[in-house]
Amino acid sequence: MPLEKKNRLTKREYFDKVYRRGKSAANHQFVLYYMVQPQQQSFRLGVSVSKKLGNAVVRNRIRRMLKEIVRLNASRIPGGYDLILIARKPAAEMAYHEMEKSVLHVLKRASLLQRPDRTNKGD
């Protein structure tokens, strides 16, 4: 199931605004730009994967994996933010679980990751 439409950052102008006015956090594999949007209920995500990382197949695979990681962890990401995830060169060789760990790490560095909701665990 793909990322919901309300959670997608689509237009070039939105990307530019986040790049200009937003803050950033990074690790070796990813750069995260983020900007507060208090009028929004949920977060919006944009993904950027450069041609330096490989051909279209490789870039689209990275893009799909990143969107899936964010979708599965959406409940831990607070609303009211525009996010842009930029993949760096080392991301091209990463397996899914390594990539997930790295994305969650960069979100944590930006203080945008909440604790997992454990209310219905152990039923």
Side-chain angles (χ1 to χ4, degrees):
M1 191 170 180
L3 203 59
E4 290 183 44
K5 205 168 203 154
K6 68 176 182 180
N7 291 112
R8 293 187 207 147
L9 194 62
T10 52
K11 296 185 180 176
R12 177 91 238 157
E13 60 187 276
Y14 300 147
F15 273 76
D16 290 341
K17 191 184 279 187
V18 176
Y19 287 138
R20 272 197 322 272
R21 298 195 197 144
K23 296 178 181 172
S24 66
N27 59 18
H28 288 297
Q29 298 83 15
F30 301 101
V31 179
L32 174 72
Y33 282 89
Y34 58 98
M35 188 173 85
V36 178
Q37 292 284 27
Q39 72 275 16
Q40 285 174 196
Q41 295 298 311
S42 58
F43 68 89
R44 294 189 301 177
L45 173 74
V47 177
S48 177
V49 183
S50 166
K51 284 188 175 182
K52 293 177 188 174
L53 270 69
N55 63 19
V57 175
V58 172
R59 294 194 310 270
N60 286 327
R61 179 181 156 273
I62 293 168
R63 202 174 288 118
R64 283 193 310 270
M65 285 169 56
L66 289 174
K67 288 178 180 179
E68 182 66 2
I69 289 164
V70 171
R71 185 184 73 82
L72 292 174
N73 290 284
S75 62
R76 297 178 64 189
I77 301 170
Y81 282 93
D82 281 349
L83 311 171
I84 300 175
L85 256 178
I86 302 170
R88 288 179 166 174
K89 195 86 171 159
E93 283 88 49
M94 294 177 86
Y96 178 84
H97 290 291
E98 294 175 274
M99 195 178 282
E100 182 177 35
K101 190 174 174 186
S102 183
V103 169
L104 295 178
H105 174 254
V106 84
L107 283 166
K108 203 175 289 178
R109 285 189 94 155
S111 302
L112 292 175
L113 195 65
Q114 300 165 341
R115 296 242 174 254
D117 185 20
R118 302 212 184 263
T119 53
N120 57 3
K121 300 284 183 191
D123 289 326

